[in-house]
Amino acid sequence: MVTLNLPFNEEELEKVNAGDQVMISGTLYVGRDQVHKRLKSAIDNGESLPFELNGNGIYYMGPSPKVEGFALGSAGPTTSARMDPFSPLLLKHGLRVMVGKGPRSAEVLSAIKEYKGLYLQAFGGCGALYSSCILSSEVLCYPDLGPEALLKLEVKNMPTICIVDSRGNKI
């Protein structure tokens, strides 16, 4: 088992191997395809991004409304492949940790290896478990996207599995 504290340093990522159980703690951003489209547009237009990609991670999550006693309702992963058209560009600009579920394209796998990132898989069907790992949640940007807005989470001991490590090894 490996603990990954976000924001991370590069040495932490190098210690994670494909197949490792990874517990995430710290700041984790949430963005799905609509957020990714806006981040790409900002990069293409030379605009500032709403959060620093370097040292941070993004979770492809389908949130549900807040539940009494929790920062969010169910917080399970969504399909990562929808972000594949944008992920190589974000990796090029500093993103290194992506958390979601399902397979990734050959282009994303190549970019993970080239930029020394990680693809961590969250467990489908475990939205309540992930909700219990979220200490706080706030809309950071793009509130007009409703449940697809860019969120900033503080998480503790969020369980994942490393599917692709920084050397391109995968399971």
Side-chain angles (χ1 to χ4, degrees):
M1 172 120 35
V2 177
T3 299
L4 181 61
N5 295 298
L6 298 174
F8 62 84
N9 63 53
E10 298 294 328
E11 294 79 35
E12 281 184 283
L13 297 189
E14 293 171 5
K15 293 177 184 174
V16 179
N17 296 302
D20 284 349
Q21 294 178 22
V22 180
M23 299 295 273
I24 302 171
S25 292
T27 302
L28 183 63
Y29 296 91
V30 173
R32 293 174 16 185
D33 46 326
Q34 295 303 313
V35 166
H36 279 65
K37 285 180 187 177
R38 292 192 184 182
L39 295 174
K40 179 189 181 306
S41 178
I43 290 169
D44 290 346
N45 294 319
E47 299 168 0
S48 296
L49 297 178
F51 72 100
E52 176 62 45
L53 294 176
N54 289 308
N56 287 306
I58 195 161
Y59 179 29
Y60 312 139
M61 178 184 79
S64 64
K66 184 177 176 165
V67 173
E68 181 76 27
F70 294 90
L72 277 177
S74 181
T78 192
T79 304
S80 300
R82 291 199 325 262
M83 278 49 77
D84 283 2
F86 313 103
S87 296
L89 178 68
L90 296 180
L91 286 160
K92 179 180 179 181
H93 286 272
L95 182 67
R96 294 293 179 268
V97 176
M98 298 170 290
V99 182
K101 69 176 182 180
R104 305 305 299 265
S105 69
E107 293 81 14
V108 172
L109 296 175
S110 177
I112 290 170
K113 183 176 180 180
E114 179 178 355
Y115 299 110
K116 301 191 183 315
L118 296 177
Y119 175 48
L120 306 175
Q121 185 148 324
F123 304 98
C126 293
L129 169 67
Y130 288 119
S131 180
S132 72
C133 299
I134 300 171
L135 304 176
S136 67
S137 170
E138 68 176 281
V139 174
L140 185 65
C141 198
Y142 315 132
D144 60 299
L145 295 177
E148 289 202 37
L150 178 61
L151 303 179
K152 179 181 178 182
L153 306 179
E154 292 300 324
V155 301
K156 183 169 181 151
N157 297 326
M158 180 178 158
T160 66
I161 298 285
C162 180
I163 301 301
V164 183
D165 67 26
S166 62
R167 292 164 301 287
N169 300 314
K170 58 184 182 268
I171 61 166

